[in-house]
Amino acid sequence: MEINTLTIVLITILSVGILSTLVYLVSTVRSLKDRVETLALEMVDFHTEYDNYQVQIERQFDEKENQDDIRFDRIHRKVGKNQEEIYRNFDGLKNSLPETIRKTIGHIEFAQPLDNTFNRK
C-alpha cells in the first residue's frame, strides 16, 4: 500500500509540474502572438508611411517639373521676341546702311579742311 500511495504522490507532483510548464508555455505563446500582431501592425504603418512619403516626393517632383516647364516656356518666348526684334533691327540696318555710307562718302568728298593747309594757290 505504501508503494501505491507513493506512486500517487509522484504522479500528482509530476502532473502539477507538467501543468505549470504548459501554463507557462501557453502564456509565452500568447505573449509572442501579441508581439507578432503588434509588429505586423507596425509594419503596415511603416509601409503606409513610406508609401505616403513616396507619393509626396513624386508630387513635389511633378510640381518642380511643371514649374521648370513654365519657366522655360516663358524664357523661350522672351528669347523669341528678342530674337525677332534683333532680326528686325538688323534688317532695318541692312536697308539703311547703303544710304548712310553714301551720305558719309558725299560729306567726305565735299568737305573743306579745317586748317586750310590743303588749299595752296
Side-chain angles (χ1 to χ4, degrees):
M1 193 127 165
E2 275 185 34
I3 295 179
N4 207 1
T5 308
L6 187 60
T7 308
I8 292 174
V9 170
L10 286 175
I11 291 175
T12 305
I13 291 173
L14 233 124
S15 60
V16 168
I18 290 173
L19 280 175
S20 66
T21 303
L22 286 175
V23 168
Y24 173 76
L25 288 175
V26 167
S27 68
T28 303
V29 166
R30 284 184 183 162
S31 173
L32 288 174
K33 179 185 167 208
D34 291 342
R35 284 186 184 175
V36 167
E37 288 175 355
T38 303
L39 287 175
L41 290 175
E42 288 177 1
M43 288 289 288
V44 168
D45 290 344
F46 173 75
H47 283 293
T48 303
E49 185 177 335
Y50 185 72
D51 289 343
N52 289 339
Y53 173 76
Q54 284 181 321
V55 168
Q56 179 185 5
I57 293 298
E58 189 68 29
R59 281 186 193 143
Q60 289 175 352
F61 179 77
D62 289 342
E63 287 175 9
K64 179 68 173 155
E65 190 175 25
N66 289 340
Q67 289 173 353
D68 289 346
D69 287 344
I70 291 170
R71 185 166 184 217
F72 291 147
D73 287 344
R74 287 179 184 164
I75 291 172
H76 180 70
R77 276 185 264 147
K78 284 183 179 182
V79 167
K81 288 179 183 178
N82 289 342
Q83 187 177 11
E84 289 173 11
E85 185 178 335
I86 289 171
Y87 284 144
R88 267 184 289 173
N89 289 341
F90 183 73
D91 288 341
L93 181 64
K94 191 166 62 172
N95 293 337
S96 66
L97 188 60
E99 182 63 30
T100 306
I101 291 172
R102 273 190 227 109
K103 285 181 183 178
T104 305
I105 290 174
H107 181 67
I108 291 172
E109 286 179 351
F110 300 114
Q112 298 291 324
L114 294 175
D115 59 359
N116 289 331
T117 56
F118 295 108
N119 265 348
R120 295 189 186 166
K121 292 184 183 180

